[in-house]
Amino acid sequence: GGKDAINTTIINFNNEKMQVTWATRELFPNENVSFFYTFDEGKHKVWKPCTTYLLDQDYNSGCLFKTEGPTLAISIRNSNRSEELFSRKLKSDFYIKPNRPENVTFFWKEDTVTVSCNKPERAARCLRLELQYKSKFDKEWQSRTSTCCSVGEQGFDPRKCYSFRVRLRRIVPNCNVVNYSSDWEAETFWMNGTLLDSCDEDITSQTNTVIVLSCSLAVLLMMLILLILLCKWQRVQMSVLPAIPDPKYLFADLFNDHNGNLEEWLDKNDHVVLQTKPEYEEPESITEAESQQEDGKNSEKQEPLEKIFTFSGAAENNDSKAAENACLIPASNTMASFAGFHILRNDDMYVML
């Protein structure tokens, strides 16, 4: 219940501005108190009224004013300023909250990253640079702290995307009585030394890569299936519809050498035609030929021989013209004469001279 028992929150923003706040609804219900401060030391202090109040439901709950020295004295009074409700004297330097680090740079070398920032003009020895990072697979931040104003860490996977953030911290209790740190610098995203807008880009790029690879494999698989089907279709087509040989290859000389003249080609290729006669005969044809030969032998035995040669004395005196006529091929079933001989022939008979 004394004047020094009131809890207050004091912040010295980078030794530039002071902020003093109190719980007005719990400490001073239904009363709008007044705040005074001074940086003067000694008996003759000049108290300054607060010009910038912080409000809580229209009640004064704090004051914001300029930092003017290392020693601060504050006084909270009732609404008509006649009674002092709370007073305190303190060292403003022990409540410093530093500003955000300025000009933060990242230096990558293989799996090691070094983060640095500008060195503050005041009390840099009381500051520590804190680095926090996590990958998209981590749930919590990993933290590293070093003297101002550079911190390094190694072991980063170049295949992962990392989020980084940095801030400055005051050393406790050598420099501060309260563990104050600066606000976090804007979060940045890095992957293998490359700055990204967010780690979602990494996920999107990996997704696109997977889609491209999947489509490529699908296309290759379809081409393989079509090739197999084509080979099988050719086999089925050859078995169902066998290929008809092209006669132009068998009779190439007919068209190339004789210009399609069949008679000329036959005259010069009689031996070829004879050689191309099939040597194989059906058993039925062979059987019929053997039966005909047997019938012929039997008929020769049973029937009397006919006299087919007739000699005439007059024929011996014929001239050479008769001999030439005899050389001609006789008609079927006709009588042929040669040198006075008369020969009877039919369709199945050949005469060799």
Side-chain angles (χ1 to χ4, degrees), residues 91-110:
K91 291 288 185 180
S92 61
D93 291 345
F94 286 168
Y95 296 88
I96 293 178
K97 179 179 180 178
N99 288 339
R100 292 178 179 178
E102 298 178 353
N103 193 22
V104 178
T105 58
F106 290 79
F107 176 74
W108 288 79
K109 185 177 181 181
E110 297 178 354

Side-chain angles (χ1 to χ4, degrees), residues 268-311:
K268 293 187 178 182
N269 295 275
D270 286 341
H271 64 285
V272 176
V273 175
L274 292 176
Q275 291 177 0
T276 58
K277 291 178 65 178
E279 297 180 358
Y280 174 77
E281 295 183 359
E282 295 292 337
E284 295 180 358
S285 302
I286 297 174
T287 305
E288 292 179 358
E290 292 178 354
S291 61
Q292 290 179 0
Q293 290 179 0
E294 292 178 357
D295 293 342
K297 291 180 180 179
N298 295 333
S299 62
E300 288 178 356
K301 292 180 181 180
Q302 294 176 2
E303 295 181 359
L305 295 175
E306 295 182 358
K307 185 179 180 181
I308 58 174
F309 293 100
T310 304
F311 298 94

Side-chain angles (χ1 to χ4, degrees), residues 24 105 136 149 153 206 210 212 217 221 248 278 301 332 342:
T24 183
T105 58
K136 59 184 179 181
C149 291
E153 181 62 10
Q206 290 183 356
V210 171
V212 171
L217 291 176
L221 183 60
K248 69 180 181 179
K301 292 180 181 180
S332 59
H342 298 281

